[in-house]
Amino acid sequence: MITVASCSSSLLPSLQSLPGFLFKSRTFFYFHQIQNPQRFCKLFTQKRFHNALLSPQSSVQFPSHPNPDILLSYLISAVSSCSSISYCRAIHSCVIKSFNYTDGFIGDQLVSCYARLGRADDARNMFDEMPNKDLVSWNSLISGFARRGEAVDEGKYIHGFALKLGVLWEVKLVNSLINLYGKSGYLDAVCRLVETMPVGNIVSWNLMIASHAQNGTAADGVGYFNLMRRAGINPDDGTVLSLLEACENLGLLKLAEGVHGLITKCGLYANATVATGLLDLYAKLGRLNYSLKVFREVNNPDKVAWTAMLAGYAVHGNGREAMELFEGMVKAGVEPDHVTFTHLLSACSHSGLVKEGKNYFDIMSQVYGIEPRLDHYSCMVDLLGRSGLLNDAYELIKRMPLKPNSAVWGALFGACRVYGNIELGKEVAERLFSLDPSDSRNYIMLSNMYSAAGLWRDASKVRALMKEKGLTRNPGCSFIEHGNKIHRFSVGDRSHPESEKIYTKLEEVIGKIREAGFVSKTEFILHDVEQAVKEDMISKHSEKLAIAFGLLVTNAGMPIIITKNLRICGDCHSTAKLISLIEKRTIIIRDSKRFHHFAAGICSCGDYW
DNA sequence: TTAGGGTTAG
C-alpha cells in the first residue's frame, strides 16, 4: 500500500523518520510511504506526479531507509521511464549530496538516464565524476553521444581510450562505436573499425546496414544485408528496421515490398516497431493504401502505430480520415501525445479544416493536458494562414508564450506568398533572415514573391543579396522509380538515355493542354527574361520531365509516383492537374512538404501548394 | 527486493 498525504511543513520532522519518499510542490509537501517498491516505481511513471516533480521549485529529499541502494535504484529506473530531465538532475544532485554515490551501478544508471534523455553533456559530466568506470559506463556514454549524432571527436577520444584499456574488442563497445560513427556521418571510420573487428554479431551487421542507410549509401547497406544472408545469419527485428531505413532513402517501392515479404517470412510482423516502421515507409513512398492495410493487420495498435497512420493521412492531405482515425484512437482507449496532435493539426491544416483544427488545438491542453510546443504553433499558423487569416496567424505568433522559430515564421511566410501579401511577407522575411541567414530558400521565396508581383527591381535586389552572401540555389530534381531503378531528372536534363522520347512526349502533352487553353504561369521563373524564353525554361522543369517519362514507361491507368527534393512549382502544379485530366492518370508527387494527388484535373492539396 | 550498456518505429 502506498499512502499519499498532503500536509503542512510543520509535520515534516515527524514524517522524515519514516521509510518513504518526500517531495514538495509549489504549495504542498507530499509523502510517499514505500511498502511495496514495485508499486512505488509505477507511481512515478504516473503523470500527476511528474508535474509536482517537474516544477522548478521542487526538491527531493531522502529520509532514512534500511537499504538506500534499493531506494535509489527505484528512483533512477523511475527517472528513465518518465523521461524528465529536471527530475534526473534533481536525483543526481541528491545522490551527490546525500549519498556521495559517484561510481558503481548507481552512477552507470545516471549516465544511462542522461544518455537516453539525449543529454550528452550531462552524461559526460556524470561520467567524469565517477572514479571507477566500467564497460557499462563507457557504453552508456557512447550511446549518449551517438544520439546527438555529431560526435566524431568524442568518438575518436573514446576509441583511443578503449584501445589503451584493451577493452575495444568487447562486441557491445565496438557496436556502440559503429553506431556513434555512423550517426555522426563518419562512414570511413565505421568501415575501418569493422575491417579490423575480430568477430561481430547480428547487431554489428544491423548497424552496418543502418550506417550506410543514414549516410547516402543505402544501396551498399542492402549489399551488406545480402552478405549477411550468405554468411548464414538470420535477420531479426533490428535488421529489417535498418532495411526499412535503407528503403526510405533509396525511395524504392519494389525493395520495400521485398522487405515486407521478408518481415512476413521471418514472423516479424507481430513486432509493433517493425509493423509501424513498414506502414510509415509505405506512406512515405506514396502508398497510403498499403499503409492502411498494414495498420489494420496490427493487433491492438499502440500510440505510435496510431500516430504513424495519422501522420500518413496528414502528409497525404486526407484530413477527414485523420479526424476519424483520431476518434477511433480515443475510442480504443489509446492516449494521444504531443506527436499525435502535431500530425492531427497538420492534417487539419493540409485539408483546410480551420474550425476543427482550432478545436483540436484547444482540447489538446484542456482535455489532454498537453502544452502546445513549437510544432503545434507552426501547424496552427499554417492552418490560419492557408485559409487567408493572415492577421489571425500573426496575432497567434505575437501571443505565443514560446519564442517562435523559423518553422513558425516560415508557415506565415508561405501564407504571405500564396495570398500575395508583400508588406507582411517582407517583415516576416527579415525575421527569417536573422534567424537563419544561410537558408537560401527564404531569399528565393521572397524574390519569387516580388517577381510574381512584377517587382523586378526588388527581386533582383534579393538575388544580389544572396550572391553577396555566397548562397546558391539548391537545384531542383525529381525522381521516379521504374524497372528497379530510380530515374533522376533536373531542369532541362538531357542525360537520360530515353531523353529524345521524353521530350517528344512532353511536347505532345503540353501541346494538348495548350490547345485546351492553358497558359504557363511564368511568374514562377525567377529571372526577368522574355516571355518566350520563360515558357521554354519552365516547360523543362524536372517534375515535367519525370511525368513525361512516367507516361512513357507505365501502362494506361497506372498511377505515376514522383518525388521532388524541393517544393513543386506552381506551373508544374497546374500542368500536373491538366495532365491528370487529359491523360486520365493519377499523378502523385511528393514534394519537400507533402504529397499532391492529382486526378481528374484537381489536386488533393486544394491548390494551396 | 531491485536496477545498468549495443540496433529500435510516429
Side-chain angles (χ1 to χ4, degrees):
Chain A
M1 262 294 281
I2 299 165
T3 50
V4 180
S6 57
C7 62
S8 73
S9 54
S10 60
L11 276 169
L12 278 178
S14 57
L15 282 174
Q16 269 174 334
S17 59
L18 290 165
F21 175 66
L22 183 77
F23 68 92
K24 71 170 196 249
S25 74
R26 219 164 279 187
T27 43
F28 289 108
F29 287 89
Y30 295 90
F31 177 70
H32 297 270
Q33 200 177 355
I34 305 164
Q35 283 166 349
N36 178 340
Q38 231 166 1
R39 289 212 45 202
F40 172 76
C41 187
K42 269 194 192 148
L43 185 81
F44 272 95
T45 62
Q46 284 175 18
K47 221 168 102 199
R48 60 202 171 106
F49 293 106
H50 288 184
N51 293 337
L53 289 160
L54 278 171
S55 75
Q57 289 89 345
S58 74
S59 66
V60 186
Q61 293 174 35
F62 292 95
S64 59
H65 188 280
N67 191 342
D69 276 4
I70 294 175
L71 181 57
L72 272 174
S73 186
Y74 273 121
L75 285 172
I76 292 165
S77 71
V79 173
S80 58
S81 61
C82 86
S83 339
S84 150
I85 189 66
S86 52
Y87 189 18
C88 191
R89 287 215 176 99
I91 301 284
H92 183 169
S93 65
C94 184
V95 163
I96 302 292
K97 263 189 288 187
S98 319
F99 295 91
N100 201 24
Y101 275 110
T102 47
D103 66 330
F105 52 73
I106 298 286
D108 284 350
Q109 281 179 322
L110 271 170
V111 173
S112 157
C113 284
Y114 280 129
R116 264 183 290 176
L117 292 168
R119 309 305 292 238
D121 295 324
D122 293 304
R124 175 66 180 269
N125 290 338
M126 183 71 221
F127 183 81
D128 288 340
E129 281 171 23
M130 293 158 56
N132 302 309
K133 304 154 175 61
D134 63 8
L135 210 59
V136 178
S137 345
W138 282 99
N139 279 336
S140 303
L141 183 68
I142 300 171
S143 78
F145 284 131
R147 214 163 282 267
R148 196 161 66 174
E150 43 182 47
V152 173
D153 291 340
E154 286 93 340
K156 282 183 187 161
Y157 163 76
I158 296 167
H159 195 157
F161 215 86
L163 268 174
K164 259 189 233 160
L165 289 174
V167 293
L168 183 60
W169 304 123
E170 274 292 330
V171 70
K172 284 185 183 174
L173 185 72
V174 182
N175 287 344
S176 293
L177 278 171
I178 296 176
N179 184 35
L180 176 75
Y181 285 140
K183 291 260 183 352
S184 309
Y186 204 34
L187 198 58
D188 285 354
V190 170
C191 297
R192 276 205 303 276
L193 191 59
V194 170
E195 276 164 21
T196 50
M197 186 179 186
V199 69
N201 59 11
I202 181 136
V203 178
S204 322
W205 283 100
N206 297 347
L207 281 166
M208 277 306 280
I209 299 168
S211 294
H212 280 290
Q214 290 152 4
N215 287 287
T217 48
D220 293 339
V222 179
Y224 263 93
F225 169 70
N226 292 328
L227 276 177
M228 169 183 160
R229 302 240 53 189
R230 258 177 262 151
I233 297 163
N234 283 328
D236 69 356
D237 53 347
T239 318
V240 296
L241 285 165
S242 303
L243 282 172
L244 291 175
E245 199 172 356
C247 290
E248 191 191 327
N249 290 319
L250 288 169
L252 281 167
L253 185 67
K254 274 267 181 326
L255 185 62
E257 286 169 335
V259 179
H260 190 165
L262 183 76
I263 289 168
T264 314
K265 205 176 121 197
C266 300
L268 293 166
Y269 212 76
N271 181 319
T273 311
V274 170
T276 307
L278 184 66
L279 89 82
D280 176 51
L281 176 68
Y282 276 139
K284 284 177 177 152
L285 295 180
R287 293 296 191 163
L288 198 56
N289 47 342
Y290 291 15
S291 298
L292 190 60
K293 193 165 173 289
V294 175
F295 178 71
R296 287 191 175 137
E297 284 163 6
V298 176
N299 270 335
N300 296 322
D302 65 1
K303 179 173 73 182
V304 182
W306 281 98
T307 306
M309 195 59 233
L310 196 58
Y313 279 139
V315 80
H316 283 272
N318 299 14
R320 292 281 171 199
E321 284 92 336
M323 283 173 55
E324 274 170 32
L325 195 80
F326 178 74
E327 301 308 327
M329 179 178 180
V330 172
K331 237 184 229 163
V334 180
E335 179 112 343
D337 70 2
H338 69 103
V339 187
T340 316
F341 276 100
T342 301
H343 294 295
L344 183 58
L345 293 174
S346 150
C348 289
S349 126
H350 284 319
S351 300
L353 301 164
V354 180
K355 197 175 84 221
E356 293 82 352
K358 278 181 170 172
N359 177 46
Y360 285 130
F361 187 73
D362 290 339
I363 64 167
M364 180 173 78
S365 52
Q366 287 162 14
V367 177
Y368 295 95
I370 301 163
E371 284 310 308
R373 304 184 183 199
L374 285 167
D375 283 351
H376 303 117
Y377 280 106
S378 58
C379 285
M380 286 310 288
V381 171
D382 192 53
L383 177 82
L384 296 167
R386 170 185 300 270
S387 52
L389 303 166
L390 291 161
N391 288 331
D392 292 13
Y394 197 15
E395 285 305 312
L396 180 65
I397 296 181
K398 286 184 193 158
R399 276 204 323 269
M400 62 188 269
L402 306 167
K403 185 174 180 281
N405 63 358
S406 54
V408 175
W409 288 116
L412 185 57
F413 197 28
C416 291
R417 183 200 53 181
V418 170
Y419 289 96
N421 188 332
I422 292 187
E423 275 316 300
L424 186 56
K426 251 163 70 179
E427 192 185 326
V428 176
E430 288 304 326
R431 307 254 190 192
L432 283 163
F433 293 157
S434 68
L435 273 171
D436 231 335
S438 60
D439 190 343
S440 61
R441 291 173 307 176
N442 297 327
Y443 298 87
I444 292 164
M445 219 154 95
L446 183 63
S447 171
N448 280 349
M449 263 179 85
Y450 285 136
S451 304
L455 301 167
W456 299 109
R457 193 172 294 172
D458 293 303
S460 70
K461 266 190 212 158
V462 179
R463 286 204 309 276
L465 186 67
M466 254 182 93
K467 208 170 174 182
E468 193 185 301
K469 288 177 179 278
L471 299 175
T472 50
R473 209 183 166 154
N474 189 7
C477 51
S478 298
F479 307 88
I480 178 167
E481 179 175 351
H482 173 65
N484 284 332
K485 230 185 107 186
I486 296 290
H487 301 257
R488 178 184 181 279
F489 296 94
S490 52
V491 183
D493 200 340
R494 290 194 180 267
S495 62
H496 196 278
E498 302 288 330
S499 199
E500 284 306 312
K501 283 187 193 162
I502 294 167
Y503 276 91
T504 311
K505 184 75 192 174
L506 186 58
E507 269 168 37
E508 176 201 318
V509 179
I510 289 188
K512 274 193 207 169
I513 60 178
R514 287 228 175 100
E515 265 171 44
F518 175 67
V519 185
S520 283
K521 290 195 170 181
T522 41
E523 72 257 28
F524 296 106
I525 287 276
L526 192 65
H527 312 287
D528 181 17
V529 288
E530 293 291 317
Q531 183 74 11
V533 180
K534 278 193 215 168
E535 288 200 10
D536 185 55
M537 281 159 73
I538 208 162
S539 69
K540 292 170 186 164
H541 271 184
S542 65
E543 42 279 58
K544 292 195 182 73
L545 295 173
I547 293 173
F549 178 72
L551 287 169
L552 276 175
V553 298
T554 57
N555 296 326
M558 289 291 289
I560 296 170
I561 306 176
I562 292 164
T563 306
K564 194 184 175 197
N565 64 340
L566 311 171
R567 300 293 302 276
I568 184 173
C569 107
D571 182 68
C572 290
H573 194 266
S574 309
T575 309
K577 284 200 292 186
L578 289 162
I579 295 177
S580 76
L581 181 68
I582 285 169
E583 299 287 321
K584 298 190 177 57
R585 286 287 194 121
T586 298
I587 301 169
I588 301 171
I589 301 184
R590 177 194 180 171
D591 72 7
S592 58
K593 195 159 182 192
R594 59 167 292 159
F595 279 90
H596 300 259
H597 290 247
F598 301 94
I602 50 175
C603 176
S604 61
C605 79
D607 291 347
Y608 184 106
W609 51 273

